Amino acid sequence: YILPWEILGLPIIEFSKKEAGAFLQGAFLSVEEAIADQFFWGTFEGVCIGLGEKFKEGDREKVKASVNFY
């Protein structure tokens, strides 16, 4: 079966428990992996927890929730 958030073809970032909590509270998070798109789906334990957006800070990328589902 296809998960609803896979339909748009956006990248997916799987967060740890600590990162997921911060993401849901609207914190900016540093990411190790490069994200090609402006938007992505944030997941925790395979469940989509929100739509995120990336931002540039110098040469680093940070991400933040634009819409969270919890």
Side-chain angles (χ1 to χ4, degrees):
Y1 64 92
I2 296 175
L3 298 172
W5 55 85
E6 293 177 338
I7 294 172
L8 295 177
L10 294 175
I12 296 172
I13 296 179
E14 178 71 21
F15 292 116
S16 68
K17 185 176 183 176
K18 182 179 178 181
E19 291 169 332
F23 180 78
L24 291 172
Q25 292 179 18
F28 282 92
L29 301 169
S30 295
V31 290
E32 297 295 322
E33 60 197 79
I35 305 166
D37 296 356
Q38 181 70 29
F39 294 95
F40 65 92
W41 296 116
T43 63
F44 172 63
E45 294 184 345
V47 175
C48 187
I49 59 173
L51 177 67
E53 185 175 0
K54 77 172 180 180
F55 298 88
K56 288 289 246 183
E57 184 177 275
D59 60 346
R60 296 192 54 112
E61 289 185 352
K62 293 196 173 212
V63 298
K64 182 179 193 277
S66 291
V67 177
N68 72 50
F69 301 143
Y70 290 92

